[in-house]
Structure formats: C-alpha cells, structure tokens
Amino acid sequence: MTPNAVLGVERSILGQPWRWRALAADQRDDFAPDDLITQILLARGCPREALDLHRVPTIRGFMPDPSIFNDMDRAAARLADAVTQGEQVAIFGDYDVDGATSAALMILLLRDLGLEARPYIPDRLMEGYGPSGPALVRLAQEGATLIVTVDCGAQAFDALAAAREAPVDVIVVDHHQCASALPVAHSLVNPNRLDETEGRAHGHLAAVGVAFLLGAALLRELRARGWFANRVEPRLIDLLDIVALGTVADVAQLRGLNRAFVAQGLKVMAGRKNVGLAALMDAARLTRAPTASDLGFALGPRINAGGRVGRADLGVRLLTTRDAAEARTIATELDRLNEERRAIEAAVQEAAEAILRSDRAVTVVAGAGWHPGVIGIVAGRLKEKLGRPAIVIALDEAGVGKGSGRSITGVDLGQAVLAAKEAGLLVAGGGHAMAAGLTIAAENVGAFGDFLEDKLAEKVAIAAADRALLVDSIHAAGGVTPELVNALEAGGPYGTGWPSPRVAVGRVRPVRVDIVGNGHVRAIVAGDDGRSFKAMAFRAADNALGQALLGAGTHRRLWLAGRAKLDDWGQRPVAELHLDDAAWAD
C-alpha cells in the first residue's frame, strides 16, 4: 500500500486513488502533524514562517507597490490629469463578471473623485469580445478624451490603432496573456505582459484586482499633487466587495493578494453598503452573510446572465446605481435572465455531449445555432465531467464561430489558444491558463482541434497521471457537525488555487438513497457510531458514483469523501457532505 494512501483507497468508485493533501505538499523527512488549520494552510503552499500572515489575510499584508508594474505610474498620472481637469472619461469593459466589476470599480472611484465616467459594455452577439475600432472612435467623437479598457484590450491591435488615429488616449487594464508584441496604447497595465519582472508574480490577479491596484496608484498620485488638501479622499477599501465578486467569479486563484481581496471583500459585502449588491443578494435569497462560494454560484451567475442572454450593461448599472428602487428592478431582471440562461445552457450541453469524441485529450465541439452566451459554462461542465480541457464553439449563419474553453490544472489553455492564433488558425483568441476565448472560421475547427491535440496531449496525460483525490482529514459519521464546518472555514476563504478542505468519512451504510432535482443523488447514511447525516452527489444520477449509491443497498459499507457544508434552510443549521467520491469499505 502506498504510504500516502488514505484509508487504503487505491481505486475509488470514480477510479482514482485517495491521498493525503498535506503529505503530497510536504515531502520533508521530518513531517509531523499539526493542528487541522495549520495542516490546511501548509497543504495549500503556505510557508511555515508565513502562517500568521495567511491565517488572517489582509490587504496590508499582501499589497504590492503598484509601481512595480509596467506603465502603472504612467496610467495613474494620465487618470489624475483627467480628474483634475474634469475630462470626459469612458470605461470600456468586458461583458462578464470580471469586466462588470472592473468597470464598476473605476466608475465608483472616479465618481467619488468628482468625475462621472461613462460605461460602455459591448454586446456579446453584435460586437463580440473586447474593444473594436468603431466603438472606440465613436466614443471619441462623442467627447471622450480618455478611454480605459478593463478586462480586455491586451490583444486589440487594430482597435487601439484606430483609437490612436481618432485621436484619443486609451489605458488598457487587463490580465489576459499577452503576445511578445503589444498593441499601441497610452499605457498597458497587465501583470501578464511578457516584459514584466516583479509584477509577473501577480499574474493570477483578475482584471478587477489590477484595476484596484490602478486605483491605489491614482489616489497616491492625486495625494502627491495635493488634490486632497481640501477634499475627502475616497476609501478604496470600501470597493473590496466588488473586487471579491469579480475575483471569485473569474475563477482567479485564491492565493496571496487575491485571497486577501476575498477575505476582506466579504466583510465589506456583509455590510451591504453597495445597494446593487444588496439587491442582488435579496434576489438570490441570501439572508446571511455571503461566503466565497456564494460569489461563485449565486451572485456571479446572475451578473453574468446580463451579458450572456440579456443586456450587457445590466451588471455595471446594478453595481454603480445609487437608487435602491432601480437596483431592485435590475436585480429582479438578472434573476429572471439567469433562469433563462439555465434552460439554454442545458440544451447546448445536451447537444455538445451528443457529438463529443472520447479519444481526444482536448475536447473541441462546435454546433450551429448554439447560444454563444452559455458556451463558457458548458465548456466548464464538460471539463468537470471528462477531466480534460474542453472548448465549445457556437457557429453562426455566416460560418464564424465564437468559442470558449476551460482547462484543468497543469494545462495552460490560454497559451495554446494564443499559439493557434499566431499559427493562423484563429481570427482572434487569448485568455489565461484556466480559460480562453476565440473566434474561428468554421472550416478551421478540425485543424484547430488537431493543433491543440498535438500541443497539449502530453500535458493532459501528465496531469491525468497525477490525478488523485486529495483529503485533508478523516472523521466518523458523528464528526460531521456544524462545529466541524465552522472550524474548517477558519482556513478560508477557499476557491481555485486554495481548495476547500475535503474530508473522508466512514465507514457508513446507506439508509435511504433517492434522486432529487436535476439528477442529484441524495443519501441518508449511518455510521458504525450510530450517527447519521445527509450526503449529496450533485449531477451524479447517471455516473458511477450516483449509480453505486443508488445500488448499494442498506448493508454495504462505504467510505465517503467530499466537502462538509452547512444546510441552514431549517430552524437550526445541520451539517451535510457534498460528495466528490466514494469507495467500498467491505
């Protein structure tokens, strides 16, 4: 038996070994167990000498000097000129949550500085991703003397060239991967520029995080100019609620500064100072203080719904309004659009699964008439189901495809898409390690799939070989309690790059198992200690895990592995287990 094996599980019901996360992360000969929260921090890459810093992540503890980033000081000075001279400024954002929150942050900060900036969010279907030349030129013709693009622009060569001819200054604030050549702009702030040095360490920031750093640089520049001698300086930390939302919803890695953004942003959000976010929480029926999970699964999808199947600017309007009645109206509309998005998504996913190939390391599927607003979500679903990168492409009547991809840990999809663009297979494309977007001619879809297969198959194979279910602790059935959930939360906030603790529980026997909702498997299980709890296997009715639970009977014993969560719908909260896997215990 492998020394690192958990409960002796070498092949679970889902075909994977179970390993101790702490031992996988700490290969020292003198490894010794610590308290649970210390183990959680160490297993996620926290150095021992920095444990106190990571236990309570603060902005002060992780904030870099904004000046380490190329063009940051130049961008801050140009924005300061716009503030002091009362220029007309336009904020050009992407239509997803990161774009909406980035745009909202800049608008709210400039508003507090006395400058009412104009938002511009392109329509996903009519204009596509990123700045276009006609849009930038039109903004200039309508009076803008400065345009700030957020969450887009790093690859907008033609659009930025047109803006320069207009002429209008453009500041690019982005985080997507860059090519060796950069578009011409007044300034381009992006930690993923290839010529970054110190700033490269912050390449995991979402665009809203980069915008926050630009905001800090702007305030510092204005302070140096004496602008606040007779004015109140805005509190940038009051905007951390929308920074947290954009960071989690963009699936940015929650380590370092990002984790501080989310930890502190959740505190600001709990105060419900932003009337738009407060209305959105009400629409999502969140009556308690929000968690990082709520940002990703409840609030983020509703903001996204505006850009996916509704009006692209709804998210920015919601986050920047000062009118509570307007906020409620927009939040209600976003909630409705989110339900519409779910139905569209289900139809596209069913069509995509019907044509995918099982012999490919990278799944590439394309279909005519698929709604481009849901392809990113479907790509994520396929990635989770198949355990490999997936790209979903929606083809229009003219034979032009809009694609969105999601990747797995260890496989940089953004770089591969950028390479495909440079090879002439794509009209446009880019992204970051875990997600990418592209535009492609229908006749190139097959060649593009072959290109990705050649480029990524070996990396996917290595990632698959290293695949194991990592476990943080073991508990008896009676240990699945609200107290355990609360104790584990002390190591958060959790998300991509800082995974939520996974616990193994058992041995247990199923008492009752049934299918609920949209293919979810619910099980009431009892342990050898006589205690019972509820376990949920989401969207598992048709996979090996769900079928094993449904067919186990009441006498077979199982080990379960998953995340301990609180079910707070009743009069008092109870703990349940959200399953990732199971293994036979007899």
Side-chain angles (χ1 to χ4, degrees):
M1 182 188 303
T2 305
N4 194 14
V6 175
L7 299 170
V9 176
E10 294 291 348
R11 185 173 179 81
S12 68
I13 287 171
L14 292 181
Q16 57 193 335
W18 292 5
R19 299 287 183 257
W20 286 111
R21 193 191 308 271
L23 287 174
D26 193 336
Q27 300 297 326
R28 297 174 300 117
D29 293 335
D30 63 341
F31 175 84
D34 297 280
D35 68 271
L36 182 56
I37 298 306
T38 298
Q39 286 185 42
I40 286 172
L41 297 177
L42 292 172
R44 283 149 186 78
C46 172
R48 281 190 178 271
E49 61 272 16
L51 281 170
D52 289 342
L53 182 67
H54 285 77
R55 285 184 198 279
V56 184
T58 64
I59 304 301
R60 182 183 296 275
F62 289 97
M63 183 82 168
D65 181 349
S67 294
I68 67 173
F69 298 92
N70 287 331
D71 279 4
M72 180 68 82
D73 290 340
R74 179 173 166 81
R78 181 64 186 87
L79 268 172
D81 290 343
V83 170
T84 58
Q85 296 170 22
E87 295 183 46
Q88 290 191 40
V89 178
I91 309 297
F92 191 111
D94 188 21
Y95 36 64
D96 69 359
V97 183
D98 193 17
T101 52
S102 301
L105 184 145
M106 296 304 304
I107 290 166
L108 291 171
L109 178 58
L110 291 173
R111 178 185 292 166
D112 286 344
L113 291 168
L115 191 68
E116 195 67 38
R118 171 186 175 181
Y120 187 97
I121 309 296
D123 182 271
R124 180 188 292 265
L125 299 180
M126 302 301 295
E127 298 177 81
Y129 168 78
S132 65
L136 296 183
V137 171
R138 185 166 63 254
L139 287 171
Q141 291 172 341
E142 293 172 356
T145 55
L146 175 63
I147 301 172
V148 183
T149 72
V150 288
D151 196 29
C152 57
Q155 293 291 313
F157 291 90
D158 293 342
L160 293 179
R164 189 174 209 187
E165 292 295 321
V168 61
D169 287 341
V170 179
I171 296 173
V172 175
V173 180
D174 205 351
H175 70 131
H176 294 99
Q177 291 184 352
C178 298
S180 53
L182 296 173
V184 177
H186 175 276
S187 40
L188 196 157
V189 183
N190 185 337
N192 288 306
R193 284 175 54 155
L194 298 183
D195 58 350
E196 275 293 350
T197 52
E198 289 183 74
R200 189 74 177 173
H202 298 278
H204 60 291
L205 293 178
V208 71
V210 183
F212 181 89
L213 293 176
L214 177 56
L218 169 61
L219 293 180
R220 183 174 62 184
E221 174 68 20
L222 288 170
R223 199 179 306 125
R225 296 185 186 190
W227 184 251
F228 301 118
N230 299 303
R231 299 175 178 85
V232 176
E233 181 174 339
R235 285 171 46 89
L236 191 59
I237 59 172
D238 287 346
L239 301 178
L240 283 173
D241 48 3
I242 59 177
V243 178
L245 175 58
T247 298
V248 173
D250 207 52
V251 203
Q253 293 206 7
L254 293 195
R255 52 187 175 86
L257 182 57
N258 276 347
R259 192 160 161 262
F261 280 152
V262 176
Q264 301 306 317
L266 286 170
K267 296 177 183 178
V268 176
M269 194 178 296
R272 298 172 69 96
K273 293 181 179 179
N274 185 299
V275 297
L277 275 178
L280 193 65
M281 285 188 277
D282 289 341
R285 293 158 286 284
L286 276 177
T287 57
R288 50 167 171 74
T291 65
S293 178
D294 293 326
L295 306 189
F297 294 102
L299 304 183
R302 286 171 168 80
I303 294 284
N304 256 335
R308 294 186 187 281
V309 297
R311 287 172 47 191
D313 66 344
L314 285 177
V316 173
R317 286 177 52 202
L318 177 72
L319 296 174
T320 57
T321 185
R322 289 173 282 196
D323 186 315
E326 181 186 27
R328 287 192 295 271
T329 298
I330 297 174
T332 300
E333 175 66 0
L334 287 172
D335 190 53
R336 184 192 68 77
L337 290 171
N338 191 49
E339 291 301 315
E340 182 181 331
R341 183 270 305 168
R342 290 182 191 216
I344 296 170
E345 171 199 326
V348 172
Q349 182 171 346
E350 181 179 359
E353 290 184 358
I355 61 173
L356 63 81
R357 289 176 54 176
S358 60
D359 61 339
R360 288 279 181 143
V362 180
T363 294
V364 179
V365 290
W370 292 354
H371 197 298
V374 302
I375 54 176
I377 303 174
V378 174
R381 299 272 192 229
L382 294 180
K383 181 261 293 188
E384 291 296 329
K385 184 173 185 176
L386 303 171
R388 57 179 184 260
I391 293 178
V392 180
I393 301 171
L395 300 172
D396 65 18
E397 295 178 354
V400 176
K402 299 290 186 181
S404 187
R406 299 293 182 269
S407 194
I408 60 175
T409 301
V411 181
D412 193 329
L413 188 60
Q415 279 191 349
V417 166
L418 205 56
K421 180 186 174 222
E422 292 175 348
L425 292 172
L426 303 176
V427 177
H432 47 82
M434 301 300 289
L438 58 96
T439 303
I440 187 171
E443 60 267 23
N444 286 338
V445 170
F448 174 57
D450 293 340
F451 178 90
L452 292 181
E453 198 71 12
D454 291 341
K455 192 168 186 64
L456 298 178
E458 183 177 352
K459 294 178 181 177
V460 172
I462 293 172
D466 290 340
R467 179 173 173 242
L469 192 84
L470 300 180
V471 175
D472 291 282
S473 61
I474 297 177
H475 304 270
V480 182
T481 64
E483 291 75 21
L484 172 66
V485 178
N486 292 332
L488 292 173
E489 284 301 311
Y494 300 107
T496 302
W498 197 268
S500 177
R502 183 181 288 115
V503 301
V505 182
R507 298 180 309 172
V508 300
R509 62 179 180 84
V511 176
R512 184 176 77 248
V513 185
D514 54 3
I515 298 175
V516 296
N518 187 23
H520 310 312
V521 177
R522 176 179 60 189
I524 305 300
V525 299
D528 292 342
D529 59 0
R531 304 292 292 275
S532 62
F533 63 89
K534 180 174 72 175
M536 292 292 300
F538 294 101
R539 295 185 296 275
D542 296 327
N543 69 19
L545 175 59
Q547 289 298 305
L549 292 170
L550 290 164
T554 58
H555 299 291
R556 293 204 69 179
R557 298 300 200 269
L558 291 150
W559 302 113
L560 303 180
R563 268 78 176 197
K565 299 290 184 180
L566 284 183
D567 179 356
D568 51 10
W569 284 101
Q571 292 184 341
R572 62 184 181 87
V574 295
E576 61 186 31
L577 195 66
H578 293 182
L579 296 182
D580 295 317
D581 202 356
W584 299 114
D586 54 19

